[in-house]
Structure formats: structure tokens, C-alpha cells
Amino acid sequence: MEHVPPPAEELALLDRELVRLDARRLQLLNRRAWLVSALQQPAAPAARPWGPPPGAGAPAWGPPPGPGSRPWGAVPAAAPRSAQNVLLTLGGLLLAIAAIAFTLVSWGTMGIGGRAAVLSTVTLVAAGAPVLLLSRKLAATAEALAALALLLTVLDAYALHAVAAPDTDGLGFTAAASAVLAVLWAAYGLTSGGLRLPLPAAVAMAQWPLFLWAWAAGAPALVFGWALLVTAAFDVVIALRGKGLAVRVAACVGAAATGLGALLVALVESLAAGGPPGAVAPGALLLAGAAVALAGAWRAPNGFAPVAGAVAGLAAVAAVGGVLRAAVPSQWQVIGYLLCGAALLAVVRTRVPRAAGRGVLVASAAVTGGSLVWALPPVAAVLLGPLSLVSEVWRGAPGGVRAALGASVPWSQMIAAPVVLALVAAALGSAYRWWTAVVRAAAPFVSPGEPLRGAAGAGALVLGWSAVLLSATALDVPYPVALALESALVAAALELTVRAMARPAGGPPSGTAVTALVGSVLGAVSVGLLSLASEAATHAVFALLVALFAGAAVRTRAAVARSLFACAAAVWGIVLTAAACASLGPAGYRAAPLMLVVPAVTVLLGARLRRHPVALPVELTGAFGAVVALALAVPDAPFLALTLALCGVLAAGTAVRPERRPVAGYLAVGLFLAATWVRLAAAEVADPEAYTLPVTVPALVVGVLRRRRDPAASSWTAYGAGLAVTLVPSLCAAWADPGWVRPLLLGVAALVATLLGARFRLQAVLLLGGAVLALVALHELAPYVVQVVGALPRWLPPALAGALLLVVGATYEQRKRDARRVREALGRMR
């Protein structure tokens, strides 16, 4: 058996183990500190590489050393080298500040020779000192003084202009000075033997000479662009061949800034060109920029090559597309850019590196996406325009489809939008059809998979649909032709969905199938809204939609698609019924019973389908039609009672089925009771008990007989309807009755029902009786409560409420347990 020590002995063992662990941790920390200090200092010739410093003694692997002994690997006193670096750095900075202050303050009292001597002396000292400091391994101080030397050379250039050449042009002199300083700083960085700052500073200074020269010469915008582009090409060369990370980063930043500036200048000039000849020069600059970007992308790392390739592709599209834009009317200009973007796909046939080629393909996709964004406004007008017909139903069939949209869109300027959509749809459709060849051609650049093929098919379907609709609108076809065309598109989408869903597949449906499914529903909504302009068109279109979606629901095999199509057919049937009622001419509430035709059909269909997965969605959709009928009948109480009764009949018919009985049975009882109450209220009956008691008594007798035959039957089934049919109307009458007889009798009846429910553990009797008793008591005591509250001080009710909340909060757990016990007790009742 395993020995378990007593608690006191085990506690002592734990304390000793913790002390040993603390000692071991201290040893490791000391060893780490010594290793850090050894790495910061040059190793002594006789020092052992992995041991403690000489004289440190053997490493203590046992208990911690005593208070008077030095721990193993303890760090010696701070090396003087760090302090020396700090002192030299501070001294160099103070000396530089003093030299600058002397130059600025005493400059006016010295002659030209003195000024030159001071500046040259300070500059030479600041430039030569870093070399000496580097030899003594004072890199930080050397870099600080090198920065000072570079700053002094800028001051030298300014002083040279102010003293030796004050009449020369400032911009021209600055351009020349920046070029000279860039060369000097580069030479200084290459010969200094270790300084990191001069070379990146030289690269930064080299960004300015050509730009400032063009500015000084008053050159046109394209010359500025060429100056920036040449500078960018120079930066690309340095970024590819330069030494040192700082130099390459500075060159990359410079290339990005100057290159993008050159391309923006060329793009603005290309867009402002009035004809093809005027767009050639900016196009040449754009092509040159594309060549520079592609050359950089050819040898750039994988992280930068796609970006450079994308810039090259966009610049090439802007160059060629700009010339085409200037040669065609304004409404067709986007087509030129789109064709140029499509031409970039030829990169898959070249030997461009993979990363750069991927960037070119991204540029092609960006141009295509921009073209589609340009075509979005007219598509949105076609899809959202029919919403204006909802407020003006059946205002009359227009002559053309544009008049039915209710939107003012410059269609003459959007004539190319359908062409853009058709071209992109054709490209995506071709890729979907010949996907194997596309994968084989694009394999060196991208790795397309099956999800991308589904996206291509879905995109082709959506864009093709939009192109057809937009073409009909742009041509302003007659209104009946537009309805027929959209209906044909809905039928085609349904057929495509049925065929796609019929294919055996182990996974989820393809993107094309899902897109066709959603498109068929949205297209049906669009054509349905468009048909609201004419009464005859509304009837014809919604009848056709009911037939199409019902047929698709019968033919398709997928459960989700079948349910969706069946529910859509039921919705279109509800709309068709409403249109028929409006055509027949009765008032809104008189049409409510007729609106129950579709719910009745769905009830019969649910009984026919029984446990089929489509049955429940169809019945719920039919219930929505019943809700619409009830909403229409609200203004007239007799028709509301009739509609409630008819809905109760439909619910009772549904409750015949065992799987729907738990919900539909209670719903039927509730609807019948509501119909009774509404009818009594509509007849302005002052004593509802005369009508309800003859129903309550036999209903309770039937409930007693049911409970005797089936003791497991719920009290709600046996007594709920019988009690509610009298208690609820009587309660409503008691609240409106100023006398005391009815509230007294109703309270006594509710008290008896409550006691009987508690005695025989009948949930329905207890809850109904208790609720009615509480409401009657509230009605009778409310005037006295109001009087008492009015007599109390204003601060007392809030104080009592706060105290009550505090008590409830303090005993929250107990109240929670009490509520749980009450719920469990009610749950055990029948």
C-alpha cells in the first residue's frame, strides 16, 4: 500500500521542495545575467566559452549560497564601455549644438572667408569623426555625428547660394545642390566603412533633382511625369541591386511615391485628352511606367511582385484604354477599358514570373470589377424601379417599360451597360464551360478549384440575367414584351434549378444551382412588382407564377428547393387571391373570407402530404394568408368573427391529423372562442352569460366524461375551452360594469374554480380561475388604491418600490427556488 504522510509532515515536505525550487530559479537567473553580459563584451582570450568568468568558482548546483558568498554566474560591475558610449554620444551632440549656435549667432560679424572657414571646418570635423569612432566601436556616436555632418552639408549648400550665387534661381540651384549632395552622401556612405545613415539619406535626396529641375524650368505636366518616372526607375534599380535593408527600403518607398505620382499625372492627362493624338503622349508615359513596374516585379520578392504586377497591368490598361476612350463616344468608353483588361489575361501565355503574373491577373480582375460597378446604377434602377408601383397599383399599362420603372435615369448614357454585363457574363460562362483548359492555362499563376468554378457559373448567370433585363430597358421595349421576357427568365431559372438539383452529387448544391434558385425567386418578385401597373397583367403574371413554381416544386428532388418553391407558389396564390378580390369590388373587410381560399388549399395539401418535409412549410405559408385575412377583417367586427370562425374550422381540420393535433387543436379552440367573443361584442350584448353559460355547462360535462374515460387527458383539453368561453367575456363585461353584482358573482365563481383546481390538481382550472379572480380583485380595489396612493407623500411610493427591490434582490436565490417549486408544482398538474 502507498504510504500517505500525515498533514504536518506533508506540509513540511512541500515547504522544503519550494525552497529548493526557489534556489534553483535564482541560480538560473544568475547564469542568464552572466551570459547576457558575456555576449555584450568581447570575449577574453583565456575565458572559457560556456563557463562562469574567471574566479567565479564552481557553479553551485546545490542549496542557495549564503549571505556572504557571491552567487554562481553573478554579474560583475557594469562594463565601462556602455558608460563611455553614453558620454561620447552626449558630448558629440553638445558639440554639434554649440557649433550650430555659434554659426547662427556669430554669422553676421564674420567675413566671407571666416564664414567659409567655420562651415568647412565644422563639416569636415563632423564628417571625419565618425570614421574614428567606428574604429573604436562607438557606432551609436558615429551615426549621430554622421547625421550632423549630413545636416551641415545642407547648410553649406544654403550658405553657398546665399554668399557665392545669390542671384541664381533658387529652384534650379536647389535641384543642382540636391544632385551634388546625393552623390556626396553616397560616396561618403560607401567609403566610411560601416555607417548606415548616409546611403539611405542619399537615396532620399536623389528623389528631388529631376522634379525640382522640371519645376524650375516651368515644364508641362508630362515632363513632370517623365521626371518622376525616371526617378522611380532609378529607385527600382537601387531596390534590386542595393546593399543593406535600409537602402532597399528607402528605394522602395521612393519608387512607390515617384512612380505613383508619375502614373497619376499621366492618367489625369490621358482622361483630359480631347482626341486620340492627345492621348498618345500620356499613354506612352503610362506604358513606360508599366514597363518599369513590370521590370521591378520580375525580380522583386514574392511579397512585392504581385503589387508591382498589378500596377503594371493597370498602367497598361490606362494607356491603351485612354487612346480608345478618346476615339469613341462617351457612353462607349468603358468598353475600351474592359477589352484592355481582358487582354491582360494573355499573361498566362507568357513567361512572366508567377508572383508578377498573379498581380497582372489581379489588375485584370480589378478593371472588370470597375466596369461592373459602373454598370450597377442602371441595374439597380431596373430592379428597384417597380417598387414605385406599390403605392399606385393599377394606374394603367404604360407604353414602354421605362415608364413603369418610375425612375429618371439617363438611359442614353447607359446604353453600353448591357454590353459590359454581356461581355463579362460571356467570359465567365466560357470559363465555366471549359474549366479544365482554364485550369491548365492558369496553373503556373493561380490554383483554381471547384468553388471558383461554381462562382464563375453563378456570376455568368447573374450578369447574363442583368444584361437581358438592362437591354430590354435600354431599348424601351413595350410593356407586355418586358413582362413576357422577365417571365421567360423566371421559367428558365426554374428549369435550370430543377436540372441542377436533379444531378446526383455527394456534397452541397453547386453555386450555379443556388444562384438559379435565388434568382428565380427574386425574378418572380421583380416581374410581380412590374405587373402591378395593369390589372390584367397582375392576374396573368401571378397566375403564371403560381403554375411555374408549383410545377417546379413537383419536379425538383431537393427538399429545400421543393419547400421554397411550394411556399413561393402559396405566396403568389395569396397575392392572386387578393387581386381577384380587388377586381370583384368588395370592401377590404368583405374580401377577408375569400382570402382563406389559399389557406384552405394548403390545409388540404398538408393532409395529402401528411409527414412529407414540404407539408409543414406549405401549411405555415397558408397560415400567413389567414393572418392577412384577419388583418383585412379587423375594421368590421361581424366579418372578423366570421373570419375567426372560418380560421377555426381550418385549424380544426388540421387538428384531425395526429401529428398536428397538439398545436392545431389549441389553436382551433382559441379561434372559436375569439370568434364567439368578437360576435358578442359586435352584437353589443350586455349580459354575455346568457349566451356563454349554455355552452360552458355542456362543455364542462363533456370534459368530466373525457377525464373519466381518459384520466391522462390534460385539463386544458377537458375544461379549458368550457371555462374560458364564459369567464373571459364576463371579465370584460365586469370591467365595464359600474355595479357590484356581476363582479361579486364572477369573483365567487373564479374563487370556486381556483379552489377546485388546487384541490384536484387541475392546471387549467387553477390558472384560469386564479387569473380571473386576480383581475376582478384588481378592478374592485383599484379606486381605493388610487385614493390611498394620492393621499401618501410623493416620496413614499418610490421608497417602498426601492425597498421591495432590495428585499427581492437580497433574497433572490430563495425567490428563485420558490418560483422553481411553483413551476414544478404546476407542471405536475394535468
Side-chain angles (χ1 to χ4, degrees):
M1 297 176 63
E2 183 179 357
H3 173 67
V4 179
E9 182 179 352
E10 185 177 2
L11 180 61
L13 290 175
L14 292 177
D15 290 339
R16 287 196 295 270
E17 184 68 19
L18 290 174
V19 170
R20 190 176 67 81
L21 290 176
D22 290 340
R24 176 59 177 160
R25 183 174 183 274
L26 180 62
Q27 293 172 6
L28 295 176
L29 290 175
N30 290 333
R31 177 63 177 175
R32 180 184 182 279
W34 181 84
L35 291 173
V36 171
S37 63
L39 291 175
Q40 293 177 351
Q41 299 178 10
R48 289 173 295 175
W50 299 107
W61 294 97
S69 61
R70 189 172 62 132
W72 169 76
V75 182
R81 184 72 67 182
S82 300
Q84 184 180 8
N85 286 337
V86 173
L87 293 176
L88 285 176
T89 303
L90 292 177
L93 291 177
L94 292 175
L95 180 61
I97 294 172
I100 294 175
F102 171 77
T103 303
L104 294 177
V105 174
S106 303
W107 189 259
T109 61
M110 300 176 64
I112 296 177
R115 299 173 185 177
V118 169
L119 277 178
S120 60
T121 301
V122 173
T123 303
L124 290 176
V125 171
V131 179
L132 299 177
L133 293 174
L134 285 176
S135 64
R136 303 195 63 180
K137 303 185 184 303
L138 301 175
T141 307
E143 294 291 345
L145 290 181
L148 176 62
L150 300 181
L151 176 62
L152 288 176
T153 56
V154 176
L155 294 177
D156 289 339
Y158 172 75
L160 181 63
H161 178 264
V163 175
D167 298 330
T168 59
D169 180 37
L171 287 175
F173 185 86
T174 305
S178 59
V180 173
L181 289 178
V183 174
L184 291 178
W185 290 359
Y188 180 55
L190 292 174
T191 58
S192 61
L195 290 177
R196 299 180 179 179
L197 182 61
L199 288 178
V203 173
M205 184 60 71
Q207 310 303 311
W208 299 102
L210 293 178
F211 177 78
L212 294 176
W213 168 79
W215 193 359
L222 285 179
V223 176
F224 272 95
W226 281 108
L228 291 173
L229 184 59
V230 171
T231 305
F234 174 72
D235 291 332
V236 169
V237 174
I238 295 177
L240 295 177
R241 299 183 178 273
K243 296 180 179 180
L245 179 61
V247 175
R248 293 190 175 188
V249 170
C252 288
V253 173
T258 55
L260 291 178
L263 293 178
L264 287 177
V265 169
L267 180 60
V268 171
E269 292 295 317
S270 177
L271 294 176
V280 171
L285 179 57
L286 287 168
L287 287 178
V292 171
L294 188 59
W298 203 281
R299 296 184 56 188
N302 290 336
F304 296 95
V307 178
V311 172
L314 292 175
V317 169
V320 182
V323 178
L324 296 177
R325 181 201 65 82
V328 298
S330 59
Q331 60 267 27
W332 297 98
Q333 292 174 356
V334 177
I335 302 296
Y337 289 105
L338 178 61
L339 294 177
C340 294
L344 292 180
L345 297 176
V347 73
V348 299
R349 294 294 185 181
T350 63
R351 296 183 179 180
V352 177
R354 176 173 183 173
R358 190 182 302 119
V360 176
L361 294 179
V362 169
S364 176
V367 174
T368 304
S371 303
L372 294 178
V373 170
W374 175 83
L376 281 181
V379 175
V382 172
L383 295 178
L384 302 179
L387 289 175
S388 61
L389 297 174
V390 176
S391 59
E392 300 179 4
V393 178
W394 296 350
R395 65 186 182 189
V401 66
R402 293 185 192 174
L405 297 180
S408 56
V409 178
W411 295 106
S412 60
Q413 300 297 324
M414 297 294 180
I415 193 65
V419 181
V420 171
L421 296 174
L423 289 176
V424 180
L428 293 177
S430 301
Y432 179 81
R433 175 63 179 83
W434 293 286
W435 185 251
T436 305
V438 171
V439 170
R440 188 183 303 111
F445 302 98
V446 293
S447 299
E450 191 62 28
L452 288 180
R453 185 187 184 193
L461 185 61
V462 172
L463 295 178
W465 185 310
S466 302
V468 174
L469 292 182
L470 201 54
S471 300
T473 308
L475 297 174
D476 196 17
V477 299
Y479 178 69
V481 176
L483 289 177
L485 180 62
E486 290 202 37
S487 301
L489 290 176
V490 172
L494 290 173
E495 181 65 23
L496 179 59
T497 304
V498 171
R499 290 175 178 266
M501 294 292 184
R503 297 175 182 175
S510 63
T512 306
V514 174
T515 303
L517 174 67
V518 176
S520 62
V521 177
L522 295 181
V525 173
S526 176
V527 70
L529 291 174
L530 188 61
S531 68
L532 295 179
S534 171
E535 181 178 359
T538 302
H539 291 290
V541 167
F542 279 101
L544 178 61
L545 291 178
V546 171
L548 289 176
F549 277 85
V554 173
R555 293 177 57 203
T556 188
R557 296 181 180 178
V560 175
R562 179 174 294 178
S563 300
L564 182 60
F565 289 155
C567 293
V571 172
W572 310 144
I574 293 172
V575 177
L576 181 61
T577 305
C581 294
S583 298
L584 294 177
Y589 64 88
R590 295 181 182 274
L594 299 178
M595 290 296 298
L596 297 177
V597 172
V598 174
V601 173
T602 58
V603 169
L604 296 176
L605 184 61
R608 176 69 176 83
L609 296 175
R610 301 190 67 80
R611 298 183 182 274
H612 195 279
V614 180
L616 181 59
V618 171
E619 291 179 81
L620 292 177
T621 307
F624 169 73
V627 173
V628 174
L630 292 175
L632 290 176
V634 167
D636 189 82
F639 270 89
L640 178 59
L642 175 61
T643 307
L644 286 170
L646 293 176
C647 291
V649 171
L650 295 179
T654 305
V656 173
R657 298 158 54 194
E659 68 274 10
R660 299 285 187 264
R661 188 170 301 157
V663 176
Y666 291 113
L667 182 60
V669 172
L671 289 171
F672 283 131
L673 290 177
T676 304
W677 300 335
V678 172
R679 191 71 186 100
L680 292 175
E684 298 181 356
V685 174
D687 298 320
E689 294 82 4
Y691 298 91
T692 58
L693 283 176
V695 178
T696 295
V697 174
L700 293 179
V701 171
V702 171
V704 171
L705 297 177
R706 169 71 184 276
R707 291 273 296 175
R708 287 183 178 179
R709 187 175 70 250
D710 183 14
S714 172
S715 62
W716 289 99
T717 304
Y719 309 117
L723 290 174
V725 75
T726 293
L727 291 179
V728 176
S730 298
L731 179 64
C732 296
W735 272 61
D737 191 354
W740 58 272
V741 177
R742 176 179 280 114
L744 177 61
L745 296 177
L746 180 61
V748 171
L751 177 61
V752 171
T754 304
L755 296 176
L756 290 176
R759 170 66 181 82
F760 295 102
R761 304 179 63 81
L762 301 174
Q763 187 182 93
V765 180
L766 175 64
L767 293 181
L768 286 174
V772 172
L773 180 62
L775 291 174
V776 170
L778 177 63
H779 176 264
E780 295 302 313
L781 296 177
Y784 305 101
V785 173
V786 171
Q787 293 179 3
V788 172
V789 172
L792 293 176
R794 295 294 181 90
W795 56 268
L796 188 58
L800 294 176
L804 177 62
L805 291 177
L806 289 177
V807 172
V808 173
T811 61
Y812 174 75
E813 293 297 333
Q814 181 62 34
R815 304 287 78 78
K816 188 176 179 180
R817 287 192 293 270
D818 294 342
R820 187 181 299 111
R821 283 195 293 268
V822 171
R823 185 183 63 185
E824 292 173 354
L826 289 175
R828 287 192 295 268
M829 294 182 178
R830 296 301 299 172

